[in-house]
Amino acid sequence: MTGSPPSAEAYTNCRFYVKIDGMTQAVFTEVSGLQIETVVQDYEEGGNNGFVHRMPGRTKVSNLTLKRGITKSNEFLKWYMEIAGGKVNRKHVTVMMYDVAGNALLQWHFIDAYPVKWVGPQFSADGKTMAVETLELAHRGMRLG
């Protein structure tokens, strides 16, 4: 990671490398679902009608969605098929953001992740790699790297 904050230009044409349990599995061009939300609960205090206490409640995380991925293996599909077969195999997933020059910009770590959706690609006869169009992961939480 670099010590100085990256410029806005560094974020154009980024690549996102995905590691599962420490091993790089694929490169994706789109990542969404980097969202954490805390539900606010209102608490009305008896005898005080001037205001309502607004207290933080449960924190929720969104599913992580990875799109337009390239990989040379079918590990994501195998992992999803385990889930579809009833075996929940949770793994640690890291998404690393790189700029076009190959410099690491940011990392996100997803705890106890597992696939909930896999969408395959359109194939062509001249293709040399296995493409994954969309992989959606549920997880327990995330932290910055």
Side-chain angles (χ1 to χ4, degrees), residues 6-139:
S7 68
E9 284 182 13
Y11 293 105
T12 59
N13 298 316
C14 289
R15 298 181 313 269
F16 301 93
Y17 285 74
V18 176
K19 286 185 177 183
I20 297 178
D21 288 340
M23 299 202 46
T24 302
Q25 294 294 334
V27 179
F28 289 85
T29 58
E30 290 184 39
V31 174
S32 62
L34 298 172
Q35 179 177 332
I36 302 173
E37 177 182 352
T38 300
V39 176
V40 176
Q41 297 186 353
D42 292 343
Y43 175 74
E44 297 179 13
E45 185 177 348
N48 188 349
N49 295 326
F51 65 93
V52 174
H53 296 280
R54 301 199 36 109
M55 309 296 289
R58 186 174 300 238
T59 298
K60 304 184 296 184
V61 293
S62 295
N63 285 352
L64 173 67
T65 303
L66 307 166
K67 291 186 179 181
R68 293 180 178 75
I70 302 294
T71 183
K72 291 187 178 185
S73 74
N74 58 4
E75 290 303 311
F76 290 126
L77 180 57
K78 286 180 184 177
W79 189 21
Y80 179 76
M81 295 308 288
E82 287 179 3
I83 300 294
K87 180 183 175 190
V88 179
N89 187 4
R90 297 171 188 262
K91 299 183 180 189
H92 181 81
V93 174
T94 300
V95 176
M96 300 168 301
M97 180 178 172
Y98 288 86
D99 64 13
V100 292
N103 300 312
L105 298 174
L106 297 168
Q107 285 188 57
W108 298 269
H109 302 279
F110 298 89
I111 303 157
D112 291 340
Y114 60 94
V116 294
K117 184 177 182 180
W118 182 91
V119 178
Q122 298 284 331
F123 290 111
S124 66
D126 61 352
K128 295 183 175 127
T129 59
M130 171 76 173
V132 178
E133 285 298 316
T134 303
L135 180 67
E136 186 173 333
L137 302 169
H139 56 93

